[in-house]
Amino acid sequence: MNNRKVSIIIGIFLAILAVTAILVCFAPAFGADYQSYGDTRGNVFQIMFGYQNKVAIPVLIVAFILQIVAAVFALIAAIIPGRIGGINFGIAALLLIVAGILFLLAPQFYQSANAGTIAPIEGQTITNGTGTLLTGIFSIVGGVVGLYAGYRAFKA
């Protein structure tokens, strides 16, 4: 398979990983370790944009925007061959890795943004749930794929 076709496949795969990371935000945001009760704070979109009496979390909104922009850069990199495409892959990789790390730190951002309004159950700690874990993992895996694609574009 020639270099152009591989670049297209990797670019589309990277965009799919970024979109999957965005769609996983519909899963529960946090888990709870108190008597095996599931967390009732909502999905990642709800905690990110704020709902009921909770505060929106600007850092997670920025991470969400980074994922969208990374998906666009990945599609552009799939279309543009050569070193310019490699730069776009590198930008997409950097954006996805940063977004993934920010989503993995979501419990700390949530607690600091809502310090006066949340009253956790005694003995309960807020941990990453399915939504934040998978969003972070898909973003970081997409970033690693983007790094490989950027390296491959510069090596060719």
Side-chain angles (χ1 to χ4, degrees), residues 21-107:
I22 293 168
L23 293 177
V24 172
C25 289
F26 285 108
F30 302 122
D33 63 355
Y34 180 73
Q35 297 179 357
S36 300
Y37 288 118
D39 189 54
T40 59
R41 289 181 179 84
N43 62 34
V44 179
F45 286 123
Q46 290 173 331
I47 63 114
M48 184 181 351
F49 295 111
Y51 75 107
Q52 294 174 351
N53 62 344
K54 304 298 185 270
V55 178
I57 305 172
V59 176
L60 293 183
I61 294 172
V62 168
F64 176 68
I65 292 169
L66 291 178
Q67 288 177 330
I68 294 170
V69 173
V72 172
F73 271 103
L75 290 176
I76 291 172
I79 296 170
I80 299 175
R83 294 187 188 269
I84 302 296
I87 292 171
N88 285 330
F89 277 128
I91 292 171
L94 179 68
L95 295 176
L96 284 174
I97 289 172
V98 169
I101 291 169
L102 291 176
F103 273 109
L104 290 176
L105 296 173

